Amino acid sequence: MSLFVRSLVLTALIAAGGGTIGCQGPTGSSPKEAPKLYDVKGTVVSLDREKKAVTLDHEDIPGLMKAMKMEFAVDDAKVLDGLTAGDAVTGKLKADGGNYVVTSLSKR
Ligand SMILES: [Cu+2]
């Protein structure tokens, strides 16, 4: 959902809530941030199909983190198919709160 659409929805929710004085809406829990997808580029340092994890020496991920070497969880062991340590890769990273999951990876 785009930020624009999200703000429209928020505005609508606030407007709807304003009309019900004395009635608590379902606002007990804070709204969950939608997961964001980032492009990730780097080199495979090691991978573990059983653990569904891959360690990447990744480049800067603008808006998320600087270049570093770190381990990521992968969505599915299939994401690691055809890859070996040392491969230069590009892929997608899903950031859900502080939780990072690699959803696709391929050699570049
Ligand atoms: Cu990192």
Side-chain angles (χ1 to χ4, degrees):
M1 197 187 286
S2 75
L3 266 180
F4 177 68
V5 172
R6 199 191 298 185
S7 61
L8 277 183
V9 170
L10 260 179
T11 308
L13 284 176
I14 290 163
T20 54
I21 295 157
C23 176
Q24 288 284 6
T27 52
S29 58
S30 54
K32 204 170 172 291
E33 269 287 313
K36 284 184 186 171
L37 267 189
Y38 294 88
D39 291 312
V40 61
K41 259 190 201 180
T43 306
V44 176
V45 176
S46 63
L47 44 85
D48 189 329
R49 287 182 169 81
E50 282 188 11
K51 222 176 110 184
K52 295 204 285 182
V54 60
T55 301
L56 296 177
D57 192 350
H58 70 76
E59 295 176 10
D60 260 37
I61 304 173
L64 188 66
M65 62 174 92
K66 290 182 292 182
M68 69 180 85
K69 198 183 281 187
M70 67 186 280
E71 186 181 87
F72 290 102
V74 295
D75 233 7
D76 192 288
K78 281 180 192 148
V79 170
L80 305 174
D81 280 357
L83 297 176
T84 48
D87 284 343
V89 289
T90 172
K92 294 278 183 200
L93 175 64
K94 188 173 73 181
D96 192 354
N99 204 26
Y100 306 128
V101 180
V102 172
T103 58
S104 71
L105 266 189
S106 53
K107 287 194 222 189
R108 44 178 171 133

